[in-house]
Every structure is written in structure tokens, then in C-alpha cells.
Amino acid sequence: MLNELSCEISGIKFKNPLILASGILGVAPSSIVRLANAGIGGTTTKSIGPRTRFGFSNPSIIEIDDGTFLNSVGLANPGIEAFIPEIKEIKKKTNIPLIVSVFGDNPEIYAEIAKKSELAGADAIEINVSCPHAEVASIGLSAELTKKFTEHVKKAVNIPVFVKLTPNLANIIQIAKAAENGGADVIVAINTVRGLSLDIETGRPILSHGIGGLSGKAIRPIGVRCVYEIYPHVKIPIIGCGGISKWEDVLEYIYAGATAVQLGSIFSRGEDKIIEILDGLHIFLKKHNISNLQELKGKSHDFDDELEVKPKFQN
Ligand SMILES: Cc1cc2nc3c(=O)[nH]c(=O)nc-3n(C[C@H](O)[C@H](O)[C@H](O)COP(=O)(O)O)c2cc1C
């Protein structure tokens, strides 16, 4: 499986660095199987909690600009017991790594869902501490809570634990370090960005829930900046996420320090995008005579000395 796009993350081998982001295709195994058949390197499930959760009423997702979305789906999911057969089915029908995203009411419940997912066949666990329109958002804003929740999940499972961070704070570095200190094997950056869209006739928020999470093209520079900021401060691999819509965007994340990337909103434009991106990356690497994409990882930091702004105002 070694080729110019293959990579390894915490011992898990990916044939290419494109991974389905959490929550994008709902919970049906058939959608994940379709993406696997279309050539994606790995998949992440919708975030799964302890019980059935319906989420917020419609409208819960809108396209506010070409390729940019605002959602407040609200972590709708069937609950872990109902999802276990789905994990097994996905594993049976695909041969790429499956990451199960989990959330819960407290660290013990996160750990319990992670364990059940591992037993059902998950290759890794992703902890969602970052959905901006659900209760879990508050975990990812606190270094202490992020560390504590990570530690609990880490203790419960023998597979790698990914922690998915929120960009909705001033200092993402400190949360990334807290996740690493809690035993995280991988950082995923970023979840959606808090945003609001208003109806111009009534002035009411368009989403039923009001504030939602921005995803798609508009957030790419935020995601790239977060990976760029985190990279020099952690030893564990980073998976970049946010706004990827073409192969050039993947390169930006890799230059910033990501080992792989997650793709979400792009799939509103169909799964053919996977092949388009893989082809673009293959051609670029060939043209520049690069034998593996990972050679470009973190390259943007070669310029850090030139770019550094010395802080002028300090406490
Ligand atoms: C409709 C929708 C549902 C989402 N559900 C989840 C979720 O359940 N868990 C999670 O960690 N992220 C969730 N996300 C965030 C995505 O996984 C991803 O972090 C975000 O959309 C940015 O990537 P993108 O710009 O490629 O879409 C969701 C995003 C969207 C648009």
C-alpha cells in the first residue's frame, strides 16, 4: 500500500490522507461504504452519544454562500447501542480505517461509548469536545476539562484516541497541549466556527437554533492557521480539517503541519471530488519529483523566523 500519498497516523495506515469528517453523511453505513468505494483513505462516523438524540428542528443547515454552510444539527444520532451493528457493518463492507466519534454527558460516559465502539471494531476513537452548538462545546474551551476527558477515554481503550478541537477560542495551542498531556494520540483541528445568519425580512436567525457552526470554503484559512499554530507545540500528529474543496487546499494543510486531512462540506458536491483531489495531488508530486506527500509536512515553518512578530505589549 506504500505510495506517494500513503501515510501512517499513530500506527494506523492510510492509503491516502483524505478522511471523511464526522457528521457529514449522517449515520447510514451505506454512505460511508459509497465513499470508501470512491477512494477515500479513511472515514469518521457521526458523533455518537449514549442515547438517541434528535437534534434541533429544521432549518438546521443552510448554504450561506457557494460552498459555505451554517449548521446546528445538534448532534442528532441514534445512540451507541443502536449504532454498534452499524459499526460492524461498515467494518465488514470496507477495508479502510474507521474512526468512531464519541461524546457524552461526562468523562465516564465518553469512555464507555469509546470502549463499546472499540469492541464493535473501531480502529480509532475521536473525542468530540468541540461541537459549537451542543453542551460539549464547553469541554473544548477548557484546558483542564480537555485533559480530563482525554485521560478517561485513553484509559478505557487500546486503540488511538484523536481529540477534535474547536477554533472558537483565543488560544488553541493551550488546548492542543492539554489534549496531548491527557494522552491524546492525534489532534484533529478544526470543528466548525460559531456563526450566525439572519433573515433580512424578519431579522430572525435563519437556523431554528440561532447560532450555528460555519463549515466549508470560508473557514479554510482558520483551519490552516490553527494547524500552523499547533504544529510547533505538540509531538503528536495533527489531522487538518475545515474548508477543503480542492487538492491545493490539502497541500496548504500539509505545509502547515498536518499529516492528513478530513473532508466534510465538500461532499455536498458529490463523491467524485475524492478522485479529483487525489489526481491533483499525484500530478503535483510527480511534477516536483516528490516521492511522498509527507516530505512537505510542516514546510511552512521553514519561514517562521522571517514571519515572527515580537510581542510589544505584555502584562
Ligand atoms: C452538517 C454537519 C454536521 C456535523 N456533525 C459533526 C459531528 O457530529 N461531530 C463532529 O465532531 N463534527 C461535526 N461536524 C463538523 C465537521 O466534521 C467538520 O469539522 C467541519 O464541517 C469542517 O470541515 P468542512 O469545512 O470540510 O466541512 C459537522 C459538520 C456539518 C456541516
Side-chain angles (χ1 to χ4, degrees), residues 20-24 45-48 60-61 67 69-73 75-76 101 103 126-131 133 164 188 190-192 213-217 219-220 241-244 262-266:
L20 169 67
S22 178
I24 297 300
T45 68
K46 174 80 193 158
S47 293
I48 302 300
S60 61
I61 178 157
F69 299 82
L70 193 63
N71 94 84
S72 59
V73 170
L75 294 182
S101 170
F103 74 96
E126 183 173 286
I127 317 184
N128 180 355
V129 291
S130 47
C131 178
H133 43 80
K164 182 164 178 190
V188 180
I190 56 175
N191 209 316
T192 53
L214 197 66
S215 68
K217 286 182 186 173
I219 73 166
R220 191 185 79 244
C241 179
I244 293 175
Q262 290 186 353
L263 309 178
S265 303
I266 187 180

Side-chain angles (χ1 to χ4, degrees), residues 26 36 75 83 97 111 166 185 311:
L75 294 182
F83 197 63
T166 177
D185 299 287

Side-chain angles (χ1 to χ4, degrees), residues 13-295:
K13 293 187 168 62
F14 292 83
K15 65 180 174 181
N16 68 58
L18 310 186
I19 302 169
L20 169 67
S22 178
I24 297 300
L25 294 178
V27 288
S30 56
S31 317
I32 291 194
V33 172
R34 235 185 31 244
L35 279 195
N37 292 338
I40 202 150
T43 60
T44 313
T45 68
K46 174 80 193 158
S47 293
I48 302 300
R51 65 193 85 83
T52 309
R53 180 172 159 135
F54 292 102
F56 300 119
S57 50
N58 288 327
S60 61
I61 178 157
I62 48 171
E63 185 162 7
I64 57 166
D65 251 320
D66 179 37
T68 296
F69 299 82
L70 193 63
N71 94 84
S72 59
V73 170
L75 294 182
N77 81 96
I80 184 65
E81 296 306 335
F83 197 63
I84 285 172
E86 316 284 37
I87 298 175
K88 292 184 177 163
E89 191 179 333
I90 297 167
K91 280 307 292 177
K92 209 158 77 190
K93 293 189 170 160
T94 63
N95 59 359
I96 53 174
L98 174 68
I99 302 146
V100 176
S101 170
V102 304
F103 74 96
D105 310 304
N106 57 48
E108 289 75 22
I109 293 181
Y110 267 78
E112 194 182 313
I113 298 170
K115 187 69 207 168
K116 287 182 175 169
S117 303
E118 177 183 26
L119 292 174
D123 296 293
I125 298 298
E126 183 173 286
I127 317 184
N128 180 355
V129 291
S130 47
C131 178
H133 43 80
E135 308 80 356
V136 300
S138 51
I139 304 168
L141 296 175
S142 152
E144 208 175 305
L145 289 177
T146 300
K147 179 164 179 273
K148 181 170 163 189
F149 277 69
T150 308
E151 277 169 351
H152 268 77
V153 174
K154 189 63 193 163
K155 263 193 225 136
V157 298
N158 297 310
I159 49 179
V161 172
F162 300 9
V163 179
K164 182 164 178 190
L165 305 188
T166 177
N168 301 311
L169 36 62
N171 186 348
I172 198 167
I173 299 167
Q174 139 192 353
I175 307 292
K177 281 161 76 172
E180 184 176 46
N181 290 336
D185 299 287
V186 177
I187 298 286
V188 180
I190 56 175
N191 209 316
T192 53
V193 179
R194 267 164 66 82
L196 178 64
S197 188
L198 303 175
D199 184 304
I200 57 157
E201 295 299 334
T202 62
R204 190 200 186 281
I206 296 177
L207 292 180
S208 69
H209 181 61
I211 291 175
L214 197 66
S215 68
K217 286 182 186 173
I219 73 166
R220 191 185 79 244
I222 302 174
V224 172
R225 182 267 297 169
C226 288
V227 172
Y228 180 86
E229 284 190 322
I230 295 167
Y231 180 74
H233 297 277
V234 299
K235 293 192 183 68
I236 54 179
I238 305 168
I239 297 177
C241 179
I244 293 175
S245 69
K246 51 192 187 310
W247 63 268
E248 292 94 329
D249 305 343
V250 177
L251 277 180
E252 277 198 65
Y253 272 103
I254 302 289
Y255 284 140
T259 303
V261 293
Q262 290 186 353
L263 309 178
S265 303
I266 187 180
F267 292 119
S268 62
R269 304 298 189 253
E271 64 235 28
D272 292 350
K273 289 283 167 193
I274 298 169
I275 291 297
E276 249 179 71
I277 293 181
L278 293 175
D279 283 351
L281 290 171
H282 276 298
I283 292 167
F284 179 87
L285 294 180
K286 205 164 178 188
K287 182 171 152 199
H288 294 278
N289 210 11
I290 294 162
S291 59
N292 188 287
L293 180 66
Q294 297 302 312
E295 289 171 34

